[in-house]
Amino acid sequence: PAGISYPGSPYCASGTATVTQTGQTGGAYSSTAGLSINAATGTINLAASTAGSYTVKYTPTIGNCTNTTTGFVTIKALPTAAISYAGGPFCATGTATVTQTGQGGGTYASTAGLSIDATTGAINLAASTAGTYTVTYNFTNGTCSNSTTTSVTIKALPTATISYAGSPYCAIGTATVTRTGQAGGTYSSTSGLIITAATGAINLVTSTPGTYTVTYSFSSGTCTNTTTASVTINAPPAAV
């Protein structure tokens, strides 16, 4: 006599299941459509099989005599889900939120450099290092586990600095800006400061004395950024 069993049943539809066989060896394994089974070894390809319950037959032969024994196996379907980060590639500012469908309650993870919330999948773009990452979402339905991935790209912000080296100024002539880094931006400030948007030059004569913050807004063509500098204009002395 011979006997077979699949002691791990029920199985999740991932990996393989091996048979425990006792008695007469050298038989052949078979089952119904949907179960991917190796006829010689009885090993089941769980990932390639359709979820369900099956009867596995094992037929050994002794001389001219054959016999058949059976075993039972159940395969449970894996839970499914999908994730994506719409709007990418992202600039390194603000937060990127995930769109998740299917099985909820999972956790998010990625490689070093990506600042990601494991529970919500939200990415802190400003705290992340520019680059392309694979985000993995691991989830379970309480019986079987699965995972899915998506790609996300973060682009570095352009950088620049500005300064008005002569500050504080007297209200005469023009103050010119010193800029380093990304060119092609525009300059602006609050009311009272007469500034040329394209060059950053300040008309000290027509500006109202006071202290101002000048903002330089610039772009790399993909991402934008800003930087600031302070400038002070002193009123001229008065005499009668």
Side-chain angles (χ1 to χ4, degrees):
I4 61 168
S5 65
Y6 290 87
S9 183
Y11 297 94
C12 294
S14 176
T16 58
T18 55
V19 68
T20 298
Q21 184 266 319
T22 59
Q24 182 64 44
T25 60
Y29 296 85
S30 63
S31 188
T32 50
L35 190 71
S36 179
I37 188 168
N38 186 300
T41 66
T43 299
I44 297 170
N45 184 332
L46 298 167
S49 298
T50 303
S53 294
Y54 299 89
T55 298
V56 177
K57 294 181 179 180
Y58 175 63
T59 306
T61 299
I62 304 175
N64 294 325
C65 298
T66 60
N67 196 5
T68 298
T69 189
T70 58
F72 302 95
V73 62
T74 297
I75 303 173
K76 293 185 175 292
L78 299 182
T80 59
I83 60 170
S84 64
Y85 289 88
F90 298 95
C91 296
T93 181
T95 303
T97 57
V98 69
T99 299
Q100 181 266 318
T101 59
Q103 182 68 51
T107 58
Y108 297 84
S110 189
T111 49
L114 191 71
S115 179
I116 188 169
D117 188 300
T119 302
T120 66
I123 297 171
N124 185 330
L125 298 167
S128 298
T129 303
T132 298
Y133 299 89
T134 297
V135 176
T136 300
Y137 176 59
N138 299 295
F139 52 97
T140 180
N141 60 8
T143 302
C144 296
S145 300
N146 203 356
S147 66
T148 188
T149 62
T150 193
S151 179
V152 63
T153 297
I154 302 172
K155 293 186 175 292
L157 299 181
T159 59
T161 62
I162 60 169
S163 65
Y164 289 88
S167 183
Y169 296 96
C170 293
I172 182 171
T174 302
T176 57
V177 70
T178 299
R179 176 201 52 78
T180 60
Q182 182 69 50
T186 58
Y187 298 83
S188 62
S189 190
T190 50
S191 177
L193 191 72
I194 307 305
I195 188 168
T196 301
T199 66
I202 297 170
N203 187 325
L204 299 168
V205 177
T206 57
S207 295
T208 303
T211 297
Y212 299 89
T213 296
V214 176
T215 300
Y216 176 60
S217 303
F218 51 97
S219 173
S220 62
T222 303
C223 296
T224 61
N225 203 357
T226 62
T227 189
T228 62
S230 180
V231 62
T232 298
I233 303 172
N234 291 328
V240 295

